[in-house]
């Protein structure tokens, strides 16, 4: 598989073992039960694997927010949790934490509802882009400041369903968003 600027950061097997480790961490920590709150849409592949690897019985729910407006930093909730989290342990499940703005916003929102505890589990952490400090309780992989696709992470809606995590060249994608399709989706 060759394409300019493309590099596999995690293979399918490495993703599997990373998810297994995170599932074991959560299963050990939340023996009294937990609400897994997935952020739409990027967290879906990770959450889906995570819940099937976990050995406790989690409740699953979803949150969707609007993207951050570039200059104002304002967001709003498009879809809130349906589950009442009063007195419960909640884990925010993210595909990636970048600036931290999304996680900080959701953490703040959920913390106001008197849960027992709000934690964060992210598959990817890219700390080089952090704008606000956030505490990440469970992290799959920390990556350098590179653009990544696959396993939930997209470019213009593409590449989310890849079974690998890959770094890609933004300038190549800017020219042709489908530039990596041939290499990553072999016929
Ligand atoms: C991505 C990702 C996180 C957020 C992290 O979502 O899924 O939710 O960005 O970025 P931050 O730390 O800089 O706030 P995106 O808005 O791209 O939506 P998506 O999940 O639908 O891809």
């Amino acid at each position: 598989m060759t394409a300019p600027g493309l590099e596999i950061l995690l293979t399918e097997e490495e993703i599997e073992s990373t998810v297994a480790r995170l599932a074991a961490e959560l299963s050990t920590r939340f023996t009294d039960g937990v609400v897994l709150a997935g952020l739409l849409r990027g967290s879906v592949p990770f959450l889906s694997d995570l819940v099937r690897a976990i050995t406790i019985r989690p409740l699953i729910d979803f949150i969707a927010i609007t993207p951050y407006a570039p200059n104002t930093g304002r967001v709003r909730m498009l879809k809130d949790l349906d589950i009442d989290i009063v007195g419960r342990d909640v884990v925010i499940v993210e595909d990636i934490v970048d600036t931290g703005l999304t996680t900080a916003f959701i953490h703040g929102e959920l913390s106001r509802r008197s849960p027992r505890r709000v934690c964060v589990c992210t598959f990817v952490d890219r700390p080089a882009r952090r704008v606000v400090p956030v505490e990440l309780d469970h992290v799959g992989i920390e990556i350098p400041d590179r653009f990544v696709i696959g396993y939930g992470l997209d470019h213009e809606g593409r590449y989310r369903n890849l079974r690998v995590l890959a770094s890609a060249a933004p300038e190549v994608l800017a020219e042709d968003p489908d530039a990596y399709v041939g290499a990553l989706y072999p016929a």
Side-chain angles (χ1 to χ4, degrees):
M1 171 178 40
T2 52
L6 187 66
E7 187 192 335
I8 302 299
L9 298 181
L10 285 181
T11 63
E12 188 173 353
E13 293 72 28
E14 287 166 336
I15 286 178
E16 238 175 72
S17 62
T18 303
V19 172
R21 172 178 56 81
L22 293 170
E25 288 175 16
L26 298 182
S27 299
T28 306
R29 184 169 182 184
F30 298 105
T31 47
D32 289 348
V34 68
V35 176
L36 298 182
L39 258 288
L40 293 173
R41 292 165 292 209
S43 73
V44 169
F46 173 42
L47 181 63
S48 155
D49 287 342
L50 189 66
V51 295
R52 287 174 294 171
I54 265 174
T55 53
I56 51 172
R57 293 183 300 152
L59 295 174
I60 301 162
D61 208 342
F62 292 96
I63 298 171
I65 63 168
T66 56
Y68 269 87
N71 296 319
T72 65
R74 264 190 233 119
V75 287
R76 67 192 163 79
M77 199 83 93
L78 288 174
K79 191 230 165 282
D80 202 341
L81 293 178
D82 293 318
I83 296 173
D84 180 355
I85 59 168
V86 172
R88 293 187 196 269
D89 285 328
V90 182
V91 177
I92 298 168
V93 178
E94 272 284 25
D95 54 338
I96 187 166
V97 175
D98 235 343
T99 62
L101 290 167
T102 304
T103 304
F105 171 74
I106 299 297
H107 198 288
E109 285 291 312
L110 300 187
S111 297
R112 276 198 284 280
R113 301 176 191 180
S114 308
R116 181 153 78 172
R117 188 166 39 173
V118 179
C119 298
V120 181
C121 175
T122 185
F123 190 73
V124 178
D125 178 20
R126 187 161 49 192
R129 297 198 186 175
R130 203 73 92 241
V131 171
V132 290
V134 280
E135 190 178 329
L136 305 179
D137 304 271
H138 304 273
V139 174
I141 179 177
E142 182 179 312
I143 62 164
D145 190 7
R146 287 161 74 178
F147 184 73
V148 279
I149 52 174
Y151 205 55
L153 293 152
D154 73 312
H155 172 72
E156 296 184 0
R158 298 157 172 87
Y159 307 107
R160 279 196 208 272
N161 70 332
L162 289 173
R163 291 172 173 271
V164 296
L165 182 75
S167 77
E171 64 276 12
V172 172
L173 287 167
E175 188 133 321
D176 175 11
D178 290 320
Y180 298 119
V181 169
L184 292 167
Y185 295 89

